[in-house]
């Protein structure tokens, strides 16, 4: 639980949480429950990771998270001070490389993403990795923003 406070900073930031499926956390206990779920989940350390940043001579700080949930759906978030600096692209490059090479993921032919169509940065990042749009659904999530639509994207397993 060493990352609790850093993770809580992410989950309480309204801009970071704008397109997340839940409202920003108002209590530390909510983030603790989320972290506990991550730690105890079957994908922890396999396809579900936190992103640490450690400039030379500093203590690492948790600045984000990303993962492939249920073995097929990607999701990610990053602290605002690190937006647009290539950190998520670097982390996703490693996640995807590792995911496709894992023996326990060999049966997976694709990774999908369910994105709020207003989240242009997320869509742009996914498309830069080869994700293709596969559909659009209206009123799929009721969140702190009200009803949200979904843009569906898919990345096929690379050919060896």
């Amino acid at each position: 639980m060493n990352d609790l406070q850093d993770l809580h900073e992410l989950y309480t930031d309204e801009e970071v949480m704008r397109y997340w499926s839940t409202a920003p956390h108002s209590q530390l206990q909510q983030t603790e429950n989320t972290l506990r779920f991550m730690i105890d989940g079957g994908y922890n350390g396999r396809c579900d990771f936190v992103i640490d940043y450690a400039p030379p001579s500093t203590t690492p700080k948790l600045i984000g998270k990303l993962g492939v949930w249920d073995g097929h759906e990607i999701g990610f978030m990053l602290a605002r001070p690190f937006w647009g600096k290539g950190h998520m692209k670097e982390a996703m490059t490693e996640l995807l490389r590792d995911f496709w090479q894992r023996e326990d993921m060999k049966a997976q032919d694709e990774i999908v993403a369910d994105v709020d169509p207003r989240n242009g940065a997320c869509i742009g990042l996914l498309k830069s990795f080869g994700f293709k749009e596969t559909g659009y659904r209206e009123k799929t999530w009721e969140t702190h923003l009200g009803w949200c639509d979904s843009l569906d994207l898919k990345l096929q397993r690379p050919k060896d």
Side-chain angles (χ1 to χ4, degrees):
M1 297 297 246
N2 294 340
D3 293 327
L4 179 60
Q5 193 57 48
D6 290 341
L7 195 62
H8 190 61
E9 286 178 29
L10 281 175
Y11 276 97
T12 56
D13 186 311
E14 290 185 19
E15 287 298 308
V16 171
M17 296 295 287
R18 173 169 288 167
Y19 302 114
W20 204 251
S21 58
T22 64
H25 290 181
S26 59
Q27 303 290 322
L28 184 63
Q29 185 63 51
Q30 292 170 281
T31 308
E32 186 172 340
N33 293 344
T34 298
L35 182 56
R36 177 68 49 215
F37 181 79
M38 288 171 57
I39 291 169
D40 295 342
Y43 292 101
N44 182 31
R46 291 176 49 219
C47 301
D48 188 13
F49 301 97
V50 295
I51 302 166
D52 284 333
Y53 178 69
S57 303
T58 65
T59 302
K61 175 176 177 52
L62 185 150
I63 63 166
K65 68 182 293 288
L66 81 158
V68 180
W69 328 127
D70 294 329
H72 72 281
E73 184 175 353
I74 197 163
F76 48 91
M77 65 169 53
L78 189 67
R80 270 191 291 157
F82 299 92
W83 288 1
K85 297 181 179 172
H87 297 292
M88 187 56 73
K89 190 163 192 135
E90 180 182 350
M92 192 171 297
T93 297
E94 293 303 314
L95 173 77
L96 293 172
R97 180 192 53 75
D98 183 66
F99 181 85
W100 296 125
Q101 292 177 358
R102 293 188 65 85
E103 282 300 317
D104 56 340
M105 294 297 156
K106 290 290 185 191
Q108 295 294 38
D109 292 329
E110 63 189 28
I111 298 173
V112 299
D114 176 347
V115 182
D116 187 311
R118 298 170 289 186
N119 192 346
C122 175
I123 294 165
L125 178 66
L126 291 168
K127 286 185 173 183
S128 78
F129 282 95
F131 279 78
K132 305 287 186 217
E133 293 183 25
T134 59
Y136 187 96
R137 297 171 290 136
E138 294 181 352
K139 293 185 177 179
T140 53
W141 291 95
E142 187 173 17
T143 74
H144 55 290
L145 300 176
W147 280 102
C148 299
D149 297 343
S150 289
L151 178 65
D152 297 316
L153 298 102
K154 182 183 342 182
L155 178 66
Q156 291 295 136
R157 175 182 284 282
K159 304 276 189 249
D160 289 335

